[in-house]
Amino acid sequence: MLLKNSFLIITLFGFLFCAKTSLAREACNDGSPMTADIMNCLMIDYEKSDKQLNTLYHTIIQNLSVPEQKQLKSSQIKWIKSKDECNRFYNDMEYGHEGRFSVVVCQTQKTDSRIKYLTIYQQCYQVSSQHSNIKSCLWDEYQKLDQQLNLVYKQVLSKSSNEKQKDIKKDEREWIKEKDIACNKYKNINDKNSSRIECLIERTQEQVSILESQLKENE
């Protein structure tokens, strides 16, 4: 299972790695091909996202009730563990320097997806007075994100060759399968369980970012 997951994650983050590396170099104003320079630029990108996430998290949690704070803290701890799993899939022995690059890219992508979720959570909390309403709001936002994913997916397909389309469709089926496995473990009688919605939003946002990066590569 670990090898299978490793292959899937490498495939999904391949396009994102290229785009992130390019953006990081631009941010550093440095086109150096040196490993240390590339890593430095990728770290700048990650640290920027990490700082943004920490600021957002503390802004949200200070306005929550004690039970809500407890729930969000628990959610954040679980997310940190999931982000740390990036380290399991890449190592110098197996993937060389690209392994270290991919760890940072993976962590940055997960951090950006967490920012997306917490931003949605904050917006829903501000407009909803009851927890059930927050869950309904989160579900509606997930539906919008899913529509965005479908749109980007179709755009990527339209700009790809027939042969490439086969690979893209296969990758998308694999992603859907992995998403369902990861998120359905939170499923209970209530389809709008908040933990499941959180998982769906973050997984979908990750895939949107990957496909958007792929779309830019095709332009």
Side-chain angles (χ1 to χ4, degrees):
M1 177 60 76
L2 179 58
L3 291 176
K4 178 183 177 183
N5 287 341
S6 299
F7 174 77
L8 287 172
I9 289 182
I10 291 168
T11 301
L12 291 174
F13 284 99
F15 290 102
L16 184 63
F17 168 70
C18 295
K20 282 285 188 180
T21 302
S22 177
L23 290 173
R25 286 180 178 175
E26 183 178 346
C28 295
N29 193 28
D30 182 10
S32 171
M34 299 297 292
T35 299
D37 292 333
I38 295 174
M39 178 60 75
N40 179 59
C41 292
L42 289 173
M43 284 302 300
I44 289 174
D45 196 30
Y46 166 69
E47 289 169 359
K48 180 181 178 181
S49 293
D50 188 57
K51 182 178 180 180
Q52 182 181 350
L53 174 61
N54 288 334
T55 299
L56 178 61
Y57 173 77
H58 286 101
T59 298
I60 293 173
I61 205 164
Q62 67 184 4
N63 293 313
L64 300 179
S65 65
V66 173
E68 290 168 338
Q69 287 181 355
K70 184 177 180 180
Q71 183 179 33
L72 185 59
K73 286 178 181 178
S74 176
S75 169
Q76 192 71 359
I77 290 172
K78 290 178 182 177
W79 172 79
I80 290 172
K81 290 180 179 179
S82 73
K83 185 190 70 169
D84 289 344
E85 288 180 359
C86 291
N87 295 302
R88 294 171 51 201
F89 298 107
Y90 308 101
N91 59 69
D92 289 341
M93 293 294 291
E94 190 170 358
Y95 303 114
H97 294 311
E98 288 77 9
R100 284 185 286 163
F101 296 159
S102 297
V103 167
V104 181
V105 171
C106 175
Q107 291 177 334
T108 302
Q109 176 60 23
K110 285 187 174 295
T111 302
D112 289 342
S113 296
R114 186 63 176 176
I115 290 171
K116 177 69 174 181
Y117 170 73
L118 289 181
T119 299
I120 291 174
Y121 178 90
Q122 183 182 43
Q123 292 170 347
C124 287
Y125 185 83
Q126 290 172 346
V127 300
S128 303
S129 58
Q130 297 179 357
H131 188 64
S132 59
N133 290 336
I134 292 176
K135 287 192 289 186
S136 294
C137 177
L138 289 172
W139 182 258
D140 290 342
E141 291 300 319
Y142 161 66
Q143 294 292 330
K144 294 177 185 177
L145 192 58
D146 188 55
Q147 290 175 4
Q148 181 184 352
L149 173 61
N150 290 333
L151 177 61
V152 177
Y153 173 70
K154 291 177 181 178
Q155 290 175 335
V156 171
L157 282 178
S158 68
K159 294 182 179 295
S160 303
S161 64
N162 291 336
E163 190 64 29
K164 189 65 177 177
Q165 285 182 8
K166 294 179 182 178
D167 293 333
I168 294 171
K169 290 177 180 179
K170 180 181 178 181
D171 289 343
E172 192 71 4
R173 288 194 298 269
E174 291 288 351
W175 172 78
I176 291 172
K177 186 185 300 182
E178 290 294 313
K179 180 200 67 175
D180 289 343
I181 291 173
C183 298
N184 283 345
K185 64 183 179 182
Y186 299 111
K187 191 173 183 179
N188 56 19
I189 297 175
N190 180 5
D191 281 343
K192 295 183 180 179
N193 175 269
S194 58
S195 295
R196 179 168 178 262
I197 302 173
E198 177 182 333
C199 177
L200 289 170
I201 289 175
E202 291 182 355
R203 294 273 177 161
T204 303
Q205 178 58 41
E206 287 176 15
Q207 187 69 354
V208 167
S209 297
I210 290 168
L211 290 178
E212 285 179 340
S213 296
Q214 186 172 345
L215 189 61
K216 291 178 181 179
E217 289 293 313
N218 291 339
E219 291 178 349

